[in-house]
Amino acid sequence: METPSSPSVSTRLQRIAKLAREMPERALTTLAHHMDVAWLHEAWKRTRKDGAPGVDGRTARDYEANLAENLRTLLDRAKSGRYRAPAVRRVHIPKGKGNETRPIGIPTLEDKILQRAVAMVLEAVYEQEFLSCSHGFRPGRSAHGALEALWSGTMDMHGGWLLEVDIRRFFDTLDHARLREILHQRVRDGVLLRLIGKWLKAGVLEAGELSYPEAGTPQGGVISPLLANVYLHEVLDKWFERDIRPRLDGKALLIRYADDFILLFEHEHDARWVYPQLQRRFEEYGLTLHPTKTRLVPFRQPPYRCETRPRETFDFLGFTHHWGRSRKGGWILKRKTASDRLSRSLRAVAEWCRKHRHDSLPAQHRQLCAKVKGHFGYFGITGNARCLQAFLQAVRRTWRKWLNRRSRKAAMLWERFARLEKHHYPLPPVRVARSIYARAANP
């Protein structure tokens, strides 16, 4: 796709990043000219090909059949203003406890490609501004990085007063006018702003009904996480560093992953002062803190000689955090798989086993191994081996249960199942994939 005279996509990304660094207080007006067919082709390569189709039903295989022409047409419509953002297909997935679900928007494949192309431009600009406290949906950063930062910061402060924050329906209530104001501070390219405006106004198709929300950005959209980071960078990150931290008497820690964040304070009076300030700040930008899920938790490290185990815990990024004893006998921040996340994972495995119980044993084994490895890949951190073992045992019980329901023959006894698993279809052993303590100690 590149011509001998045109710079590579990576070179252009570096130019945009350099320009953003050299002009931190100015709005950038000419960015869309970097987007050409080669740029869209790179966006195509970065777009998932196995995702669910959008409202048009078009798959990656269909689009790839005439890829060059499709990308050329898409670029022409995007830059001329003729591109019309299609409606987003909304589905609901389990969120946690009970029947609570999370709405997910599924754009069309072509919309994903164009959103990825615009996100590449904006990412090069805003990565020069985002603060180190932000970990979600950024290159080179991850949820495990947020957990490591939280662990090292909490241990350094010996705990403190923790503000566990939940933003009520953040992606559904994000204020469009405020977002445009924030974007306009750094980006004033008409093509990019026009496309973002079309995506914000795009309809939502749910259960056959089309609606046009006046606020929010669909979870599942390629550009939505970046827009959320831009919004909260202005509303929370910059505000906390610029206006709040200098006025505190003690240390403070902010760790944010997308719209989930934790605030830890050395002193109780700092935490109690910031709480109402945070509420007012969010209300100013059209956001609301959940009244029951947002709470102030005393989370001090216990004295060394304390015999009773502290009961204070909090959940963050799928883990329950608590104080526990290290091998040397001292108090250390530990974490285990949160009960709702463990239950959700096991329900998903049980549902898969039920639907695929008549598949061949090799096919079932391959898929279950992939699911177990995926679970261990995220939850396999130091100190969580007991929950990993519990997950593995529950998967074994579930698999045996649904194998027994393949027919009306006598049930497979545990002895036979154990032999079958050991000699022919072993599930992956418990594996701690990440030693976050070692990584936090040697950044």
Side-chain angles (χ1 to χ4, degrees):
M1 288 286 181
E2 301 284 356
T3 63
S5 59
S6 65
S8 67
V9 172
S10 60
T11 300
R12 280 176 278 175
L13 286 171
Q14 292 171 8
R15 288 179 180 176
I16 297 173
K18 181 182 178 183
L19 186 66
R21 283 194 302 271
E22 292 175 347
M23 297 192 300
E25 303 298 328
R26 293 181 56 185
L28 306 180
T29 57
T30 55
L31 293 171
H33 72 277
H34 291 287
M35 293 170 50
D36 57 9
V37 175
W39 191 279
L40 289 188
H41 192 267
E42 178 63 24
W44 155 263
K45 291 194 292 185
R46 298 186 185 190
T47 300
R48 281 187 57 185
K49 311 299 189 298
D50 57 348
V55 294
D56 61 354
R58 202 172 189 182
T59 64
R61 180 176 295 181
D62 298 334
Y63 201 83
E64 193 174 16
N66 193 17
L67 181 61
E69 181 60 28
N70 287 334
L71 295 180
R72 199 173 296 111
T73 303
L74 176 61
L75 179 67
D76 180 60
R77 285 182 287 138
K79 290 198 171 183
S80 66
R82 292 184 291 109
Y83 182 80
R84 298 183 62 183
V88 174
R89 184 167 67 88
R90 175 174 286 174
V91 298
H92 291 264
I93 63 172
K95 184 176 181 180
K97 299 178 181 178
N99 297 322
E100 192 175 5
T101 61
R102 184 190 305 274
I104 297 294
I106 304 176
T108 63
L109 178 69
E110 191 169 65
D111 214 27
K112 292 178 184 178
I113 297 170
L114 191 55
Q115 286 190 29
R116 177 64 65 191
V118 173
M120 288 162 57
V121 178
L122 296 182
E123 190 176 81
V125 174
Y126 282 100
E127 275 300 312
Q128 317 314 312
E129 297 192 9
F130 287 156
L131 304 181
S132 60
C133 62
S134 171
H135 296 267
F137 303 103
R138 293 180 57 190
R141 291 174 172 263
S142 66
H144 289 105
L147 292 169
E148 292 167 13
L150 177 59
W151 184 89
S152 58
T154 304
M155 292 298 297
D156 179 63
M157 293 171 57
H158 305 290
W161 284 80
L162 184 132
L163 191 56
E164 185 181 3
V165 184
D166 184 274
I167 307 175
R168 176 183 278 179
R169 300 176 60 211
F170 170 74
F171 282 93
D172 295 331
T173 59
L174 189 147
D175 189 292
H176 290 174
R178 284 288 195 175
L179 176 60
R180 291 189 184 95
E181 290 177 8
I182 294 170
L183 286 170
H184 209 252
Q185 294 174 13
R186 285 297 276 147
V187 177
R188 294 186 187 175
D189 186 291
V191 173
L192 300 184
L193 293 178
R194 182 171 59 242
L195 287 172
I196 293 172
K198 290 182 178 182
W199 288 321
L200 293 177
K201 294 179 180 179
V204 174
L205 183 65
E206 182 176 4
E209 295 186 4
L210 185 62
S211 61
Y212 293 90
E214 296 181 358
T217 177
Q219 293 187 66
V222 173
I223 203 168
S224 295
L226 178 56
L227 295 180
N229 272 338
V230 170
Y231 201 78
L232 287 176
H233 170 71
E234 179 68 27
V235 177
L236 176 64
D237 303 352
K238 284 175 59 178
W239 168 77
F240 186 79
E241 292 296 327
R242 180 189 64 225
D243 300 339
I244 298 299
R245 191 184 293 277
R247 303 172 66 180
L248 300 177
D249 292 330
K251 296 179 181 179
L253 176 69
L254 167 63
I255 301 294
R256 182 173 67 83
Y257 187 88
D259 62 324
D260 294 326
F261 66 95
I262 291 288
L263 286 164
L264 182 66
F265 302 90
E266 184 179 7
H267 300 310
E268 179 182 359
H269 64 270
D270 284 341
R272 294 196 180 278
W273 176 75
V274 169
Y275 193 178
Q277 305 294 327
L278 184 67
Q279 288 178 308
R280 285 193 288 271
R281 176 70 175 181
F282 274 36
E283 288 172 0
E284 181 183 349
Y285 284 84
L287 302 175
T288 306
L289 302 186
H290 198 289
T292 58
K293 295 181 180 179
T294 300
R295 62 192 185 113
L296 191 59
V297 183
F299 200 71
R300 296 293 302 172
Q301 187 180 52
Y304 182 80
R305 296 183 179 276
C306 180
E307 298 298 331
T308 59
R309 180 175 176 178
R311 295 184 178 181
E312 293 84 3
T313 66
F314 68 93
D315 289 355
F316 186 58
L317 298 181
F319 290 89
T320 297
H321 299 69
H322 61 96
W323 291 109
R325 293 285 190 182
S326 68
R327 291 183 178 180
K328 295 182 179 180
W331 291 102
I332 193 170
L333 179 65
K334 290 191 172 184
R335 60 210 70 198
K336 61 182 180 179
T337 309
S339 59
D340 60 332
R341 292 293 294 270
L342 181 60
S343 299
R344 186 168 68 185
S345 298
L346 291 175
R347 284 198 302 269
V349 170
E351 181 64 15
W352 186 91
C353 288
R354 183 186 68 82
K355 289 183 177 179
H356 295 269
R357 64 185 182 274
H358 294 296
D359 293 358
S360 66
L361 281 177
Q364 291 189 45
H365 178 250
R366 283 194 301 272
Q367 289 298 318
L368 284 176
C369 284
K371 293 179 183 297
V372 170
K373 288 179 180 179
H375 186 89
F376 290 171
Y378 183 77
F379 291 102
I381 64 176
T382 306
N384 196 34
R386 183 175 297 178
C387 287
L388 300 182
Q389 187 63 45
F391 174 80
L392 181 60
Q393 289 299 105
V395 170
R396 295 177 72 241
R397 289 194 300 269
T398 301
W399 192 20
R400 174 180 171 269
K401 169 186 173 180
W402 288 107
L403 286 179
N404 280 331
R405 298 193 180 187
R406 286 157 61 101
S407 67
R408 296 185 179 182
K409 295 180 180 180
M412 182 188 300
L413 299 178
W414 269 108
E415 291 78 6
R416 181 187 169 196
F417 178 80
R419 290 195 301 271
L420 182 71
E421 182 187 2
K422 179 178 180 180
H423 298 293
H424 299 286
Y425 304 109
L427 292 175
V430 168
R431 177 172 175 262
V432 176
R434 297 173 182 269
S435 176
I436 63 169
Y437 306 143
R439 288 173 61 87
N442 300 284

